[in-house]
Amino acid sequence: MSDSTSAAPVVLDVWCELQCPDCHQALTDVHALRARYGDRIDIRLRHFPLEKHKHAYAAAQAAEEAVTQGKGWPYIEAVLARTADLGRTGEPLLVEVAGELGLDAEEFDTALIDGRHMLIVDADQAEGKAIGVTGTPTYVIGGERLDGGKSQEGLRERIEAIADRLLAEQD
């Protein structure tokens, strides 16, 4: 998922799932990276729903519907802020968050029923597995995979070092 239309020279893929508390914590790093790099880095959320979280797959589909309706990242951040609620209430929370953000909640409900975004989620998950993603969050930048699911300690600094190197190589 990427709302970005920029031709950013550096891409950071964040393999994430919306019922993951570690992914919620990773938002701090995402915000800091956006603040530091602006449009020089394209931060893309990639879906990797884990089987242990039974509402993660539906949440990934809902996130794609939010992209379709023009509010992908605001929706993702709102759902990640409520990972515990998502675990308890499931799909009704996904529709509720859509309504809170002024999105067409009825269309969210329909999208979850008809599965129109399943192929995007499945493709992300398959690609993640192919490159060795096993948990979330996992970051890929410049061909390097960094696993934030084990520890986020020093992760932003490692991403910044790679981004700085890639940006310097392009100058």
Side-chain angles (χ1 to χ4, degrees):
M1 186 258 20
S2 177
D3 288 313
S4 169
T5 55
S6 75
V10 174
V11 174
L12 171 64
D13 283 330
V14 181
W15 298 87
C16 178
E17 70 122 87
L18 300 184
Q19 198 177 337
C20 170
D22 290 335
C23 290
H24 175 242
Q25 292 177 345
L27 279 178
T28 302
D29 288 337
V30 169
H31 291 152
L33 292 165
R34 280 191 187 135
R36 177 173 175 168
Y37 295 103
D39 64 359
R40 295 180 302 144
I41 187 169
D42 184 13
I43 300 173
R44 303 185 308 186
L45 181 117
R46 304 297 300 274
H47 302 290
F48 201 79
L50 301 171
E51 288 183 28
K52 67 181 179 180
H53 294 135
K54 73 178 197 173
H55 304 296
Y57 191 82
Q61 292 179 75
E64 287 302 321
E65 182 59 30
V67 170
T68 301
Q69 293 189 31
K71 289 191 177 176
W73 275 106
Y75 183 83
I76 288 161
E77 292 184 17
V79 173
L80 280 172
R82 297 167 70 178
T83 56
D85 293 342
L86 178 58
R88 283 191 300 276
T89 57
E91 292 183 23
L93 177 78
L94 301 172
V95 175
E96 179 183 322
V97 169
E100 290 169 0
L101 292 173
L103 299 169
D104 184 341
E106 192 172 303
E107 195 62 28
F108 266 76
D109 197 37
T110 302
L112 290 170
I113 292 168
D114 70 20
R116 68 183 74 157
H117 302 295
M118 287 173 56
L119 291 176
I120 294 168
V121 176
D122 290 347
D124 272 5
Q125 192 166 39
E127 185 179 337
K129 286 179 181 176
I131 64 169
V133 175
T134 57
T136 58
T138 296
Y139 305 86
V140 176
I141 182 169
E144 295 185 48
R145 189 179 73 242
L146 306 167
D147 184 356
K150 292 186 174 78
S151 171
Q152 294 184 49
E153 184 78 29
L155 200 54
R156 183 182 344 150
E157 292 79 11
R158 291 178 20 226
I159 292 168
E160 288 172 348
I162 295 167
D164 290 345
R165 185 190 77 230
L166 293 171
L167 289 167
E169 288 172 359
Q170 295 178 357
D171 288 338

